[in-house]
Amino acid sequence: MTSTERIQADRLRERVAEDLRRARERSTLLTDAVDDDDLVRQHSRLMSPLVWDLAHIGNQEELWLVRDVGGREPVRHDIDDLYDAFQHPRADRPSLPLLNPAEARGYVREVRDKVLDVLETSPLEGRPLVERAFAFGMIVQHEQQHDETMLATHQLRKGTPVLHAEPPPPAAPLPAREVLVPGGPFTMGTSAEPWALDNERPAFGVDLAPYWIDTVPVSNGDYLAFIDAGGYDDPRWWSESGWAHRMKASLSAPRFWERDGDRWVRTRFGVVEPVPLDEPVVHVCFHEAAAYAKWAGKRLPTEAEWEKAARWDPASGRSRRYPWGDDDPGPQHANLGQRHLRPAPVGAYPAGESPLGVRQLIGDVWEWCDSDFLPYPGFRAFPYKEYSEVFFRGDYKMLRGGSFGTDAAAVRGTFRNWDHPIRRQIFAGFRCARDAERP
Ligand code: AVJ
Ligand code: FE
């Protein structure tokens, strides 16, 4: 190893240690905010008890970093099954003999101490799993993904508010509501991003017809116009499966909204407040998003259209890491990391806009796209099939860009998220697109 290589490896180790620390700070905050009874309770059948998420975070970290990368003895050889998401559906997790809150806290601490030692001593090259610290990056993202899941559990929990944060920055003047993305090829996915997960790989060319895309997500005010126009009662706007679900679930407004006389209020982490008309709508399912878009004379973007809007630089023809370029996200670019516990008003974060002027693609709300979860050409499961492959071609729709609840380490222009088209507890909204005539 040359001295430059050693300096680079040291810098990478510092970066990993900082990302692990930030993830744990968030997990700790989310689990220390409530009492033990609250930690072991199930707040919704859609979610695990918070204490399951906590120990599951530690267990994944132990499996990949202590045992596999570190080659060390198990910390706990007897609990892998309890924290294997595939063995027990979320609804069943409260009745398992789980580690209690004190045991779970002790477990994740013990695993982390070993991991910091593994990080100091193991080479960050040689095996694909450790190349450029991939396994550490994967575990950082895993913890942050569960931190967002735990935030969604907090949103479902009843009781007095326990989470607090500064309000997000205001909107800035917006030159246009839509922009035209020219037709032609762009590079989708990545072969270069070191911590990109398997489903984001490899990079490949996609040729798209020209399309218009909204410069901001659909706001609560926009969405209210759909409600007021009777959008929930008109099957014309809904797909067949969307209408069937709308009827079965009696949908009539986004989740967590309630009518209060002649106005709407929403509950956000235990606080009831008037629905802010200028914020992106959140807690709508794919079917509601698609119905709104059709009512508006538009449609949802495909995943490829979303990614071209977010990454394609017309000046160079290159796909970049983020809408604003290749720099890691900063607080000026995007509403990420649970720094603000709500989306920023539409038009915020002008410094985060794409070259074509599309804003808030990263952060604020996940954006439903009209695409199924499929592998990219040349996909290879890595390092395990259960992250992505087992979900391909299932009943899922794609979500892009992350939300205010997503950490910067767990989202990028190529990042792909997915969920069932009926799910609303996630921090998901959408923006619209429409076809353009070819010139
Ligand atoms: C990629 C967000 C759909 O939370 O189910 C966490 C991420 N995978 N643990 C999920 C994940 C394993 C996954 N999503
Ligand atoms: Fe997990």
Side-chain angles (χ1 to χ4, degrees):
M1 225 188 203
T2 67
S3 65
T4 354
E5 283 169 343
R6 194 164 303 119
I7 289 166
Q8 276 177 354
D10 285 346
R11 206 173 285 146
L12 185 53
R13 285 193 175 87
E14 276 168 32
R15 168 80 192 258
V16 168
E18 166 55 21
D19 281 358
L20 285 169
R21 188 203 58 75
R22 192 172 71 248
R24 187 53 46 88
E25 181 177 66
R26 183 51 49 182
S27 309
T28 305
L29 188 148
L30 290 166
T31 48
D32 284 358
V34 293
D35 61 23
D36 280 10
D37 172 61
D38 220 303
L39 282 178
V40 302
R41 239 203 348 252
Q42 189 165 51
H43 296 280
S44 155
R45 287 182 54 82
L46 294 174
M47 311 307 282
S48 316
L50 292 166
V51 76
W52 185 92
D53 283 286
L54 183 63
H56 166 81
I57 286 168
N59 186 240
Q60 286 291 111
E61 187 168 322
E62 158 167 24
L63 288 174
W64 288 103
L65 301 182
V66 177
R67 296 191 211 167
D68 197 324
V69 172
R72 313 265 174 111
E73 287 304 305
V75 179
R76 289 283 300 248
H77 60 84
D78 55 331
I79 58 173
D80 293 352
D81 282 358
L82 282 176
Y83 297 104
D84 177 346
F86 288 86
Q87 304 246 357
H88 311 284
R90 282 180 177 176
D92 299 350
R93 290 174 192 167
S95 51
L96 298 171
L98 301 177
L99 299 189
N100 68 34
E103 290 165 340
R105 289 183 173 115
Y107 174 58
V108 299
R109 202 172 307 126
E110 197 180 337
V111 170
R112 178 57 56 88
D113 286 346
K114 292 203 161 45
V115 163
L116 293 178
D117 191 54
V118 170
L119 176 62
E120 284 309 308
T121 51
S122 64
L124 301 181
E125 57 182 6
R127 297 166 67 193
L129 188 62
V130 297
E131 200 67 53
R132 295 162 85 190
F134 175 81
F136 293 91
M138 177 179 82
I139 288 302
V140 163
Q141 292 177 73
H142 182 260
E143 180 157 358
Q144 291 288 5
Q145 288 172 335
H146 279 274
D147 288 349
E148 182 165 0
T149 301
M150 289 197 281
L151 189 68
T153 305
H154 270 272
Q155 169 63 10
L156 287 158
R157 135 178 205 283
K158 302 270 190 295
T160 50
V162 295
L163 298 179
H164 307 282
E166 291 290 295
L174 189 67
R177 293 292 300 206
E178 287 183 309
V179 291
L180 180 65
V181 182
F186 91 105
T187 301
M188 186 168 182
T190 178
S191 303
E193 188 69 46
W195 291 359
L197 302 171
D198 59 0
N199 64 49
E200 299 164 65
R201 302 171 184 271
F204 65 108
V206 179
D207 198 351
L208 293 179
Y211 59 98
W212 292 88
I213 192 160
D214 289 358
T215 51
V216 291
V218 168
S219 70
N220 288 324
D222 300 333
Y223 197 82
L224 200 51
F226 168 69
I227 298 177
D228 288 343
Y232 276 92
D233 299 315
D234 194 335
R236 270 186 303 164
W237 313 131
W238 300 74
S239 69
E240 202 178 309
S241 59
W243 183 252
H245 177 67
R246 177 260 169 259
M247 293 305 289
K248 182 168 175 247
S250 305
L251 302 183
S252 60
R255 180 133 199 208
F256 307 114
W257 284 33
E258 241 180 320
R259 233 190 238 288
D260 174 37
D262 55 5
R263 62 174 195 169
W264 287 93
V265 295
R266 67 154 181 209
T267 306
R268 182 179 60 86
F269 302 113
V271 177
V272 181
E273 58 194 15
V275 167
L277 298 181
D278 58 352
E279 263 181 32
V281 67
V282 61
H283 299 301
V284 288
C285 70
F286 172 84
H287 297 305
E288 290 169 295
Y292 171 93
K294 190 154 186 203
W295 169 80
K298 300 188 184 186
R299 58 176 174 78
L300 297 179
T302 63
E303 224 191 327
E305 288 170 337
W306 187 96
E307 188 168 323
K308 185 172 181 180
R311 298 186 60 210
W312 183 67
D313 174 19
S316 64
R318 209 171 61 79
S319 286
R320 310 186 305 180
R321 300 175 69 214
Y322 299 99
W324 55 86
D326 291 325
D327 291 348
D328 288 339
Q332 73 281 24
H333 293 128
N335 182 4
L336 291 169
Q338 307 184 15
R339 201 166 53 239
H340 314 292
L341 291 172
R342 62 199 299 165
V346 298
Y349 296 102
E353 75 180 15
S354 75
L356 292 174
V358 187
R359 287 193 196 164
Q360 293 170 293
L361 286 153
I362 301 291
D364 292 302
V365 292
W366 288 101
E367 299 182 20
W368 286 111
C369 292
D370 193 2
S371 296
D372 298 329
F373 191 22
L374 299 173
Y376 290 164
F379 168 85
R380 288 178 56 181
F382 179 76
Y384 65 119
K385 282 187 165 53
E386 289 75 17
Y387 182 73
S388 310
E389 193 174 278
V390 300
F391 299 102
F392 290 150
R393 298 179 187 84
D395 177 30
Y396 301 105
K397 291 291 178 189
M398 302 312 288
L399 294 144
R400 290 302 202 101
S403 76
F404 63 86
T406 312
D407 187 79
V411 71
R412 55 205 151 256
T414 55
F415 188 86
R416 306 175 77 197
N417 191 9
W418 65 95
D419 212 330
H420 296 298
I422 64 170
R423 287 288 179 255
R424 309 207 294 173
Q425 84 283 4
I426 53 178
F427 303 105
F430 61 103
R431 76 179 66 220
C432 296
R434 61 188 174 91
D435 296 348
E437 300 304 319
R438 277 184 188 278

